[in-house]
Amino acid sequence: MKIQVGVVDDMQLFLKSLCYLIDSFKNFEVSVDALNGEQLLEKMAKMDQCPDIILVDVNMPVMDGLQTAENVLKKYPIIKLVALSLQDDDTSVINMLKAGCCAYLLKDIHPDELQRALGEVYNKGYYNADLVNINYRRLITKAKLESENRISDKEKIFLNLSCSDLTYKQIAIEMKLSERTIDGFRESLFNKLNVESRVGMVLEGLRRNLVRL
Amino acid sequence: MKIQVGVVDDMQLFLKSLCYLIDSFKNFEVSVDALNGEQLLEKMAKMDQCPDIILVDVNMPVMDGLQTAENVLKKYPIIKLVALSLQDDDTSVINMLKAGCCAYLLKDIHPDELQRALGEVYNKGYYNADLVNINYRRLITKAKLESENRISDKEKIFLNLSCSDLTYKQIAIEMKLSERTIDGFRESLFNKLNVESRVGMVLEGLRRNLVRL
DNA sequence: TGTCACAACGGGAAATTTCCCGCCTTCCAA
DNA sequence: TTGGAAGGCGGGAAATTTCCCGTTGTGACA
């Protein structure tokens, strides 16, 4: 019996294509695919046998990779999760591994390496792509640093509103807070994101996927 | 004989996956794939028979979709090009169609629709996805509007430098121009991009793919 | 040869951003 | 119960951005 694989990605064409690719691997076959974490959980609830490995896209609209990983592992702790992402984004790597993923792969990986990675994850329980491996030490220090200055919900709302033509005064009115308070959020985010202007803050927020275009 | 398809995309995993998907279509098979336009032209130069249809990703690093389309059509005017893109970005749609593409498809299209699109492009010479079709009139007016206020090279350089913590004064020094001149670029871009702050300008630049994160 | 568009430049002023200072309340933990 | 960290608030000032008002030189074109 082939190893059962699940695939989650919000891009339909990529999802289905990837299923064909994986089905072409000798020892693997796709037993379930879904456009987001919610759909995945629904489909899996109706299945007799759950997949051995699930490939999860990190950036998805409805239930993102992180939430999906957490929800799947809560219900099915035996399943091995593999994160799949467009960017080599430190924060995402950290979060996905912390959530319990066995591997973090980039989407422009070569199909052969995907096959090798799936094999290793199934047999050894983990797989380290070179890219992630090399920077391991740096990631850990960065993880510590980021856990120290977590970004609060209000700061996130403020960051979102900052991604516009609005002035801080208008943002203050929008959030029903004083201009000073807004200024506090600004200052705090400048420090946490290590920038020194609103433009820098917005750009760093985009890079870290704290806000969307 | 099956209809020959070429595929160009810089994301290896997607490229190869898509090839498997297309090979699974009854009447189509992939005869050439490439990671960018340059590689495609190289590979095609060595081929006896060129493909009937080529699927081209719009956003690629080495030779982007637009350049690829132009270069391919210059050498092989018979080939039918189909643009494939992540976003439904008006400017990209306009440019790719203007460059001679027969269709503009989004990457989250359903595989069945891709097959239908390929069939129609081969038989009728074009395919209009609903999404593009609906907004045709708006696209034309927008194309006119954008052709009027084209963004110059210097403005693009300025826009790139604006995507940072640099002040306009520092940008002026960097570009070896006076602050006033920089201010002129700013004003001109504000008008062309229809924004009223540097943050808005940067965000609109990102949305229009004028700058990269 | 005029004039017309256009890139580059400049002064100045109002609005906004950035960065100081400090105050009060709440809530949690030592 | 006594900090002490964190969220919210306020005044003020310097730096930057935004928006006016212009001038000059250059090349294209009728």
Side-chain angles (χ1 to χ4, degrees):
Chain A
M1 171 125 174
K2 288 186 173 187
I3 297 166
Q4 306 291 302
V5 180
V7 187
V8 190
D9 194 295
D10 61 312
M11 226 164 73
Q12 253 186 106
L13 190 60
F14 182 61
L15 176 68
K16 298 295 182 186
S17 299
L18 190 55
C19 292
Y20 274 97
L21 177 74
I22 291 172
D23 281 334
S24 83
F25 294 164
K26 221 177 4 183
N27 301 316
F28 300 91
E29 69 181 358
V30 175
S31 66
V32 58
D33 64 65
L35 290 167
N36 54 59
E38 221 170 273
Q39 207 183 73
L40 176 76
L41 288 171
E42 278 171 28
K43 285 193 179 182
M44 280 178 59
K46 293 180 192 148
M47 290 170 68
D48 299 333
Q49 198 205 347
C50 59
D52 300 296
I53 304 174
I54 299 180
L55 278 170
V56 185
D57 181 27
V58 176
N59 302 309
M60 290 184 296
V62 177
M63 188 193 285
D64 75 8
L66 189 57
Q67 296 171 308
T68 303
E70 284 164 351
N71 284 316
V72 168
L73 286 177
K74 200 157 55 182
K75 258 196 154 179
Y76 312 89
I78 339 110
I79 296 181
K80 298 188 176 69
L81 288 183
V82 174
L84 198 58
S85 171
L86 269 174
Q87 325 109 294
D88 167 24
D89 167 12
D90 284 352
T91 314
S92 301
V93 177
I94 292 164
N95 287 334
M96 293 306 280
L97 294 180
K98 218 162 59 180
C101 287
C102 311
Y104 191 99
L105 304 177
L106 293 180
K107 276 192 178 176
D108 67 351
I109 187 179
H110 192 281
D112 294 347
E113 196 186 338
L114 174 64
Q115 188 169 13
R116 194 163 54 246
L118 288 175
E120 285 208 18
V121 165
Y122 185 73
N123 291 319
K124 303 201 305 184
Y126 68 93
Y127 175 81
N128 283 333
D130 288 342
L131 220 151
V132 180
N133 202 12
I134 288 169
N135 304 324
Y136 224 108
R137 183 181 293 263
R138 188 174 55 81
L139 279 186
I140 292 170
T141 57
K142 183 156 182 179
K144 251 187 248 158
L145 221 134
E146 290 201 355
S147 69
E148 276 162 21
N149 33 2
R150 262 193 45 65
I151 286 150
S152 74
D153 287 344
K154 290 222 171 176
E155 281 170 346
K156 266 186 204 159
I157 295 170
F158 163 70
L159 186 54
N160 261 287
L161 290 169
S162 296
C163 292
S164 69
D165 275 336
L166 297 176
T167 67
Y168 288 139
K169 192 187 280 197
Q170 291 172 309
I171 292 175
I173 294 168
E174 185 75 30
M175 290 182 73
K176 297 188 207 306
L177 289 171
S178 126
E179 282 183 59
R180 299 295 146 250
T181 308
I182 293 300
D183 197 44
F185 291 153
R186 181 197 56 72
E187 174 121 44
S188 151
L189 276 174
F190 275 26
N191 286 327
K192 290 180 183 174
L193 299 180
N194 200 30
V195 295
E196 45 197 9
S197 75
R198 180 166 167 180
V199 172
M201 177 178 77
V202 165
L203 289 169
E204 191 59 27
L206 284 166
R207 287 195 200 94
R208 297 203 191 178
N209 274 309
L210 297 169
V211 282
R212 293 188 171 283
L213 211 49
Chain B
M1 171 124 175
K2 288 185 173 186
I3 298 165
Q4 306 290 303
V5 180
V7 186
V8 191
D9 195 296
D10 61 311
M11 226 164 74
Q12 253 187 103
L13 190 59
F14 182 62
L15 176 68
K16 296 297 180 184
S17 300
L18 190 56
C19 291
Y20 274 98
L21 177 73
I22 291 172
D23 280 334
S24 82
F25 293 165
K26 221 178 2 186
N27 300 317
F28 300 91
E29 68 181 358
V30 175
S31 66
V32 59
D33 64 65
L35 290 168
N36 55 60
E38 223 171 88
Q39 205 183 75
L40 175 77
L41 288 171
E42 279 172 28
K43 285 193 178 182
M44 280 177 60
K46 294 180 194 150
M47 291 170 67
D48 299 333
Q49 197 204 350
C50 60
D52 302 295
I53 304 174
I54 298 181
L55 277 170
V56 185
D57 182 28
V58 175
N59 302 308
M60 289 184 296
V62 178
M63 187 192 284
D64 76 7
L66 191 57
Q67 296 170 310
T68 304
E70 285 164 352
N71 284 317
V72 168
L73 286 176
K74 201 157 54 182
K75 258 196 153 180
Y76 313 90
I78 341 113
I79 295 182
K80 299 188 175 72
L81 287 184
V82 174
L84 197 59
S85 170
L86 267 174
Q87 325 108 294
D88 167 24
D89 167 11
D90 285 352
T91 314
S92 301
V93 177
I94 293 163
N95 287 334
M96 292 306 281
L97 293 179
K98 218 162 58 181
C101 287
C102 311
Y104 191 99
L105 304 178
L106 293 180
K107 277 194 178 176
D108 67 352
I109 186 181
H110 191 281
D112 293 348
E113 196 184 339
L114 174 63
Q115 186 168 14
R116 195 164 52 246
L118 287 175
E120 285 208 19
V121 165
Y122 186 73
N123 291 320
K124 302 199 308 187
Y126 68 92
Y127 175 82
N128 282 333
D130 289 342
L131 220 152
V132 181
N133 200 15
I134 289 170
N135 304 324
Y136 224 113
R137 183 179 293 262
R138 188 174 55 81
L139 278 187
I140 292 169
T141 56
K142 183 156 183 181
K144 251 186 248 157
L145 219 134
E146 291 200 356
S147 70
E148 276 163 21
N149 33 2
R150 259 191 46 68
I151 285 151
S152 75
D153 286 344
K154 290 219 174 180
E155 281 170 344
K156 266 185 203 160
I157 295 170
F158 164 70
L159 186 53
N160 261 286
L161 289 170
S162 296
C163 293
S164 69
D165 275 337
L166 297 175
T167 67
Y168 289 139
K169 191 187 280 194
Q170 291 172 310
I171 293 175
I173 294 169
E174 185 75 29
M175 290 182 71
K176 297 188 206 311
L177 288 171
S178 123
E179 286 182 57
R180 300 294 145 249
T181 309
I182 293 300
D183 197 45
F185 291 153
R186 180 197 57 73
E187 173 122 42
S188 153
L189 277 174
F190 274 26
N191 286 327
K192 290 179 184 175
L193 299 180
N194 200 31
V195 294
E196 45 198 9
S197 74
R198 180 167 166 181
V199 172
M201 177 177 76
V202 165
L203 289 168
E204 192 59 27
L206 284 166
R207 286 193 200 95
R208 296 201 190 179
N209 273 308
L210 297 169
V211 282
R212 291 189 173 282
L213 209 49

PDB file of all heavy atoms in Angstrom, chain A residues 186-211:
ATOM      1  N   ARG A 186       2.702  53.365  17.288  1.00  0.00           N
ATOM      2  CA  ARG A 186       3.691  53.625  16.244  1.00  0.00           C
ATOM      3  C   ARG A 186       5.092  53.381  16.784  1.00  0.00           C
ATOM      4  O   ARG A 186       5.861  52.606  16.234  1.00  0.00           O
ATOM      5  CB  ARG A 186       3.572  55.060  15.751  1.00  0.00           C
ATOM      6  CG  ARG A 186       4.548  55.408  14.651  1.00  0.00           C
ATOM      7  CD  ARG A 186       4.689  56.908  14.492  1.00  0.00           C
ATOM      8  NE  ARG A 186       5.080  57.596  15.697  1.00  0.00           N
ATOM      9  CZ  ARG A 186       6.282  57.547  16.230  1.00  0.00           C
ATOM     10  NH1 ARG A 186       7.234  56.822  15.651  1.00  0.00           N
ATOM     11  NH2 ARG A 186       6.562  58.194  17.339  1.00  0.00           N
ATOM     12  N   GLU A 187       5.369  54.025  17.920  1.00  0.00           N
ATOM     13  CA  GLU A 187       6.704  53.921  18.520  1.00  0.00           C
ATOM     14  C   GLU A 187       7.041  52.456  18.828  1.00  0.00           C
ATOM     15  O   GLU A 187       8.124  51.967  18.503  1.00  0.00           O
ATOM     16  CB  GLU A 187       6.738  54.739  19.816  1.00  0.00           C
ATOM     17  CG  GLU A 187       8.024  54.581  20.598  1.00  0.00           C
ATOM     18  CD  GLU A 187       8.716  55.924  20.794  1.00  0.00           C
ATOM     19  OE1 GLU A 187       8.015  56.881  21.127  1.00  0.00           O
ATOM     20  OE2 GLU A 187       9.944  55.976  20.581  1.00  0.00           O
ATOM     21  N   SER A 188       6.091  51.773  19.419  1.00  0.00           N
ATOM     22  CA  SER A 188       6.301  50.378  19.793  1.00  0.00           C
ATOM     23  C   SER A 188       6.579  49.509  18.563  1.00  0.00           C
ATOM     24  O   SER A 188       7.483  48.674  18.563  1.00  0.00           O
ATOM     25  CB  SER A 188       5.064  49.896  20.557  1.00  0.00           C
ATOM     26  OG  SER A 188       4.880  48.531  20.387  1.00  0.00           O
ATOM     27  N   LEU A 189       5.808  49.748  17.496  1.00  0.00           N
ATOM     28  CA  LEU A 189       6.007  48.950  16.279  1.00  0.00           C
ATOM     29  C   LEU A 189       7.331  49.285  15.607  1.00  0.00           C
ATOM     30  O   LEU A 189       7.999  48.393  15.077  1.00  0.00           O
ATOM     31  CB  LEU A 189       4.841  49.175  15.309  1.00  0.00           C
ATOM     32  CG  LEU A 189       3.613  48.306  15.570  1.00  0.00           C
ATOM     33  CD1 LEU A 189       2.469  48.699  14.656  1.00  0.00           C
ATOM     34  CD2 LEU A 189       3.949  46.835  15.365  1.00  0.00           C
ATOM     35  N   PHE A 190       7.720  50.567  15.626  1.00  0.00           N
ATOM     36  CA  PHE A 190       9.020  50.942  15.065  1.00  0.00           C
ATOM     37  C   PHE A 190      10.112  50.107  15.725  1.00  0.00           C
ATOM     38  O   PHE A 190      11.005  49.582  15.061  1.00  0.00           O
ATOM     39  CB  PHE A 190       9.292  52.431  15.288  1.00  0.00           C
ATOM     40  CG  PHE A 190       8.705  53.333  14.235  1.00  0.00           C
ATOM     41  CD1 PHE A 190       7.591  52.941  13.501  1.00  0.00           C
ATOM     42  CD2 PHE A 190       9.264  54.573  13.962  1.00  0.00           C
ATOM     43  CE1 PHE A 190       7.048  53.770  12.535  1.00  0.00           C
ATOM     44  CE2 PHE A 190       8.732  55.405  12.992  1.00  0.00           C
ATOM     45  CZ  PHE A 190       7.626  55.014  12.286  1.00  0.00           C
ATOM     46  N   ASN A 191      10.037  49.996  17.054  1.00  0.00           N
ATOM     47  CA  ASN A 191      11.040  49.226  17.782  1.00  0.00           C
ATOM     48  C   ASN A 191      10.970  47.745  17.431  1.00  0.00           C
ATOM     49  O   ASN A 191      11.980  47.133  17.094  1.00  0.00           O
ATOM     50  CB  ASN A 191      10.856  49.397  19.288  1.00  0.00           C
ATOM     51  CG  ASN A 191      11.311  50.763  19.756  1.00  0.00           C
ATOM     52  OD1 ASN A 191      12.258  51.332  19.197  1.00  0.00           O
ATOM     53  ND2 ASN A 191      10.634  51.314  20.748  1.00  0.00           N
ATOM     54  N   LYS A 192       9.771  47.211  17.486  1.00  0.00           N
ATOM     55  CA  LYS A 192       9.620  45.764  17.266  1.00  0.00           C
ATOM     56  C   LYS A 192       9.996  45.366  15.850  1.00  0.00           C
ATOM     57  O   LYS A 192      10.546  44.290  15.619  1.00  0.00           O
ATOM     58  CB  LYS A 192       8.179  45.335  17.560  1.00  0.00           C
ATOM     59  CG  LYS A 192       7.838  45.405  19.042  1.00  0.00           C
ATOM     60  CD  LYS A 192       6.410  44.984  19.323  1.00  0.00           C
ATOM     61  CE  LYS A 192       6.096  45.144  20.810  1.00  0.00           C
ATOM     62  NZ  LYS A 192       4.678  44.872  21.101  1.00  0.00           N
ATOM     63  N   LEU A 193       9.687  46.226  14.893  1.00  0.00           N
ATOM     64  CA  LEU A 193       9.981  45.884  13.502  1.00  0.00           C
ATOM     65  C   LEU A 193      11.342  46.425  13.063  1.00  0.00           C
ATOM     66  O   LEU A 193      11.784  46.162  11.950  1.00  0.00           O
ATOM     67  CB  LEU A 193       8.880  46.428  12.584  1.00  0.00           C
ATOM     68  CG  LEU A 193       7.475  45.878  12.837  1.00  0.00           C
ATOM     69  CD1 LEU A 193       6.477  46.491  11.854  1.00  0.00           C
ATOM     70  CD2 LEU A 193       7.460  44.357  12.686  1.00  0.00           C
ATOM     71  N   ASN A 194      11.955  47.197  13.973  1.00  0.00           N
ATOM     72  CA  ASN A 194      13.290  47.718  13.684  1.00  0.00           C
ATOM     73  C   ASN A 194      13.312  48.612  12.453  1.00  0.00           C
ATOM     74  O   ASN A 194      14.100  48.408  11.527  1.00  0.00           O
ATOM     75  CB  ASN A 194      14.262  46.546  13.527  1.00  0.00           C
ATOM     76  CG  ASN A 194      15.695  46.966  13.718  1.00  0.00           C
ATOM     77  OD1 ASN A 194      15.961  47.905  14.459  1.00  0.00           O
ATOM     78  ND2 ASN A 194      16.613  46.300  13.041  1.00  0.00           N
ATOM     79  N   VAL A 195      12.416  49.591  12.438  1.00  0.00           N
ATOM     80  CA  VAL A 195      12.354  50.552  11.341  1.00  0.00           C
ATOM     81  C   VAL A 195      12.306  51.954  11.928  1.00  0.00           C
ATOM     82  O   VAL A 195      12.207  52.124  13.146  1.00  0.00           O
ATOM     83  CB  VAL A 195      11.107  50.332  10.457  1.00  0.00           C
ATOM     84  CG1 VAL A 195      11.168  49.004   9.758  1.00  0.00           C
ATOM     85  CG2 VAL A 195       9.838  50.449  11.288  1.00  0.00           C
ATOM     86  N   GLU A 196      12.365  52.971  11.056  1.00  0.00           N
ATOM     87  CA  GLU A 196      12.300  54.326  11.573  1.00  0.00           C
ATOM     88  C   GLU A 196      11.430  55.255  10.738  1.00  0.00           C
ATOM     89  O   GLU A 196      11.623  56.462  10.721  1.00  0.00           O
ATOM     90  CB  GLU A 196      13.713  54.916  11.752  1.00  0.00           C
ATOM     91  CG  GLU A 196      14.645  54.680  10.591  1.00  0.00           C
ATOM     92  CD  GLU A 196      16.108  54.910  10.999  1.00  0.00           C
ATOM     93  OE1 GLU A 196      16.383  55.078  12.201  1.00  0.00           O
ATOM     94  OE2 GLU A 196      16.949  54.926  10.093  1.00  0.00           O
ATOM     95  N   SER A 197      10.473  54.680  10.036  1.00  0.00           N
ATOM     96  CA  SER A 197       9.496  55.510   9.332  1.00  0.00           C
ATOM     97  C   SER A 197       8.258  54.666   9.049  1.00  0.00           C
ATOM     98  O   SER A 197       8.306  53.441   9.054  1.00  0.00           O
ATOM     99  CB  SER A 197      10.069  56.024   8.015  1.00  0.00           C
ATOM    100  OG  SER A 197      10.084  54.989   7.065  1.00  0.00           O
ATOM    101  N   ARG A 198       7.165  55.376   8.796  1.00  0.00           N
ATOM    102  CA  ARG A 198       5.900  54.677   8.534  1.00  0.00           C
ATOM    103  C   ARG A 198       6.023  53.779   7.315  1.00  0.00           C
ATOM    104  O   ARG A 198       5.514  52.659   7.306  1.00  0.00           O
ATOM    105  CB  ARG A 198       4.790  55.723   8.337  1.00  0.00           C
ATOM    106  CG  ARG A 198       3.452  55.100   8.056  1.00  0.00           C
ATOM    107  CD  ARG A 198       2.335  56.113   8.197  1.00  0.00           C
ATOM    108  NE  ARG A 198       1.109  55.585   7.624  1.00  0.00           N
ATOM    109  CZ  ARG A 198      -0.040  56.242   7.595  1.00  0.00           C
ATOM    110  NH1 ARG A 198      -0.129  57.447   8.116  1.00  0.00           N
ATOM    111  NH2 ARG A 198      -1.111  55.696   7.059  1.00  0.00           N
ATOM    112  N   VAL A 199       6.725  54.269   6.283  1.00  0.00           N
ATOM    113  CA  VAL A 199       6.903  53.452   5.082  1.00  0.00           C
ATOM    114  C   VAL A 199       7.621  52.152   5.433  1.00  0.00           C
ATOM    115  O   VAL A 199       7.200  51.067   5.034  1.00  0.00           O
ATOM    116  CB  VAL A 199       7.701  54.217   4.009  1.00  0.00           C
ATOM    117  CG1 VAL A 199       8.054  53.306   2.852  1.00  0.00           C
ATOM    118  CG2 VAL A 199       6.912  55.410   3.501  1.00  0.00           C
ATOM    119  N   GLY A 200       8.707  52.280   6.217  1.00  0.00           N
ATOM    120  CA  GLY A 200       9.450  51.091   6.631  1.00  0.00           C
ATOM    121  C   GLY A 200       8.563  50.133   7.404  1.00  0.00           C
ATOM    122  O   GLY A 200       8.612  48.920   7.187  1.00  0.00           O
ATOM    123  N   MET A 201       7.752  50.678   8.276  1.00  0.00           N
ATOM    124  CA  MET A 201       6.851  49.851   9.092  1.00  0.00           C
ATOM    125  C   MET A 201       5.888  49.067   8.216  1.00  0.00           C
ATOM    126  O   MET A 201       5.722  47.854   8.378  1.00  0.00           O
ATOM    127  CB  MET A 201       6.076  50.759  10.056  1.00  0.00           C
ATOM    128  CG  MET A 201       5.056  50.054  10.915  1.00  0.00           C
ATOM    129  SD  MET A 201       4.241  51.194  12.071  1.00  0.00           S
ATOM    130  CE  MET A 201       3.084  52.053  10.990  1.00  0.00           C
ATOM    131  N   VAL A 202       5.274  49.758   7.263  1.00  0.00           N
ATOM    132  CA  VAL A 202       4.324  49.105   6.366  1.00  0.00           C
ATOM    133  C   VAL A 202       5.012  48.006   5.562  1.00  0.00           C
ATOM    134  O   VAL A 202       4.496  46.889   5.443  1.00  0.00           O
ATOM    135  CB  VAL A 202       3.690  50.150   5.422  1.00  0.00           C
ATOM    136  CG1 VAL A 202       2.987  49.480   4.264  1.00  0.00           C
ATOM    137  CG2 VAL A 202       2.724  51.039   6.196  1.00  0.00           C
ATOM    138  N   LEU A 203       6.197  48.307   5.038  1.00  0.00           N
ATOM    139  CA  LEU A 203       6.915  47.324   4.226  1.00  0.00           C
ATOM    140  C   LEU A 203       7.291  46.096   5.049  1.00  0.00           C
ATOM    141  O   LEU A 203       7.131  44.969   4.602  1.00  0.00           O
ATOM    142  CB  LEU A 203       8.163  47.969   3.616  1.00  0.00           C
ATOM    143  CG  LEU A 203       7.899  48.999   2.513  1.00  0.00           C
ATOM    144  CD1 LEU A 203       9.164  49.762   2.187  1.00  0.00           C
ATOM    145  CD2 LEU A 203       7.357  48.324   1.268  1.00  0.00           C
ATOM    146  N   GLU A 204       7.783  46.342   6.275  1.00  0.00           N
ATOM    147  CA  GLU A 204       8.170  45.224   7.124  1.00  0.00           C
ATOM    148  C   GLU A 204       6.947  44.397   7.510  1.00  0.00           C
ATOM    149  O   GLU A 204       7.015  43.165   7.567  1.00  0.00           O
ATOM    150  CB  GLU A 204       8.900  45.733   8.376  1.00  0.00           C
ATOM    151  CG  GLU A 204       9.584  44.651   9.192  1.00  0.00           C
ATOM    152  CD  GLU A 204      10.623  43.863   8.423  1.00  0.00           C
ATOM    153  OE1 GLU A 204      11.204  44.403   7.449  1.00  0.00           O
ATOM    154  OE2 GLU A 204      10.841  42.686   8.793  1.00  0.00           O
ATOM    155  N   GLY A 205       5.820  45.075   7.722  1.00  0.00           N
ATOM    156  CA  GLY A 205       4.573  44.366   8.014  1.00  0.00           C
ATOM    157  C   GLY A 205       4.183  43.455   6.856  1.00  0.00           C
ATOM    158  O   GLY A 205       3.739  42.321   7.069  1.00  0.00           O
ATOM    159  N   LEU A 206       4.380  43.938   5.642  1.00  0.00           N
ATOM    160  CA  LEU A 206       4.069  43.129   4.465  1.00  0.00           C
ATOM    161  C   LEU A 206       5.015  41.940   4.377  1.00  0.00           C
ATOM    162  O   LEU A 206       4.601  40.818   4.123  1.00  0.00           O
ATOM    163  CB  LEU A 206       4.188  43.985   3.195  1.00  0.00           C
ATOM    164  CG  LEU A 206       3.045  44.960   2.944  1.00  0.00           C
ATOM    165  CD1 LEU A 206       3.422  45.966   1.882  1.00  0.00           C
ATOM    166  CD2 LEU A 206       1.796  44.188   2.518  1.00  0.00           C
ATOM    167  N   ARG A 207       6.301  42.199   4.612  1.00  0.00           N
ATOM    168  CA  ARG A 207       7.289  41.112   4.540  1.00  0.00           C
ATOM    169  C   ARG A 207       6.977  40.024   5.546  1.00  0.00           C
ATOM    170  O   ARG A 207       7.139  38.847   5.270  1.00  0.00           O
ATOM    171  CB  ARG A 207       8.703  41.654   4.800  1.00  0.00           C
ATOM    172  CG  ARG A 207       9.247  42.457   3.649  1.00  0.00           C
ATOM    173  CD  ARG A 207      10.746  42.669   3.755  1.00  0.00           C
ATOM    174  NE  ARG A 207      11.131  43.809   2.916  1.00  0.00           N
ATOM    175  CZ  ARG A 207      11.252  45.049   3.348  1.00  0.00           C
ATOM    176  NH1 ARG A 207      11.063  45.323   4.633  1.00  0.00           N
ATOM    177  NH2 ARG A 207      11.586  46.020   2.527  1.00  0.00           N
ATOM    178  N   ARG A 208       6.542  40.423   6.726  1.00  0.00           N
ATOM    179  CA  ARG A 208       6.271  39.435   7.776  1.00  0.00           C
ATOM    180  C   ARG A 208       4.855  38.893   7.708  1.00  0.00           C
ATOM    181  O   ARG A 208       4.396  38.209   8.615  1.00  0.00           O
ATOM    182  CB  ARG A 208       6.487  40.062   9.156  1.00  0.00           C
ATOM    183  CG  ARG A 208       7.906  40.495   9.392  1.00  0.00           C
ATOM    184  CD  ARG A 208       8.215  40.577  10.861  1.00  0.00           C
ATOM    185  NE  ARG A 208       9.498  41.240  11.067  1.00  0.00           N
ATOM    186  CZ  ARG A 208      10.005  41.476  12.254  1.00  0.00           C
ATOM    187  NH1 ARG A 208       9.333  41.122  13.337  1.00  0.00           N
ATOM    188  NH2 ARG A 208      11.180  42.060  12.375  1.00  0.00           N
ATOM    189  N   ASN A 209       4.132  39.259   6.661  1.00  0.00           N
ATOM    190  CA  ASN A 209       2.768  38.774   6.507  1.00  0.00           C
ATOM    191  C   ASN A 209       1.850  39.197   7.640  1.00  0.00           C
ATOM    192  O   ASN A 209       0.899  38.496   7.969  1.00  0.00           O
ATOM    193  CB  ASN A 209       2.753  37.246   6.397  1.00  0.00           C
ATOM    194  CG  ASN A 209       2.975  36.803   4.972  1.00  0.00           C
ATOM    195  OD1 ASN A 209       2.297  37.275   4.083  1.00  0.00           O
ATOM    196  ND2 ASN A 209       3.933  35.931   4.782  1.00  0.00           N
ATOM    197  N   LEU A 210       2.164  40.332   8.270  1.00  0.00           N
ATOM    198  CA  LEU A 210       1.285  40.847   9.308  1.00  0.00           C
ATOM    199  C   LEU A 210       0.113  41.573   8.664  1.00  0.00           C
ATOM    200  O   LEU A 210      -0.966  41.672   9.240  1.00  0.00           O
ATOM    201  CB  LEU A 210       2.051  41.812  10.218  1.00  0.00           C
ATOM    202  CG  LEU A 210       3.202  41.178  11.000  1.00  0.00           C
ATOM    203  CD1 LEU A 210       4.058  42.238  11.659  1.00  0.00           C
ATOM    204  CD2 LEU A 210       2.651  40.219  12.047  1.00  0.00           C
ATOM    205  N   VAL A 211       0.340  42.073   7.471  1.00  0.00           N
ATOM    206  CA  VAL A 211      -0.723  42.719   6.696  1.00  0.00           C
ATOM    207  C   VAL A 211      -0.668  42.213   5.266  1.00  0.00           C
ATOM    208  O   VAL A 211       0.350  41.686   4.829  1.00  0.00           O
ATOM    209  CB  VAL A 211      -0.565  44.258   6.686  1.00  0.00           C
ATOM    210  CG1 VAL A 211      -1.033  44.855   7.984  1.00  0.00           C
ATOM    211  CG2 VAL A 211       0.861  44.648   6.406  1.00  0.00           C
TER     212      VAL A 211
END
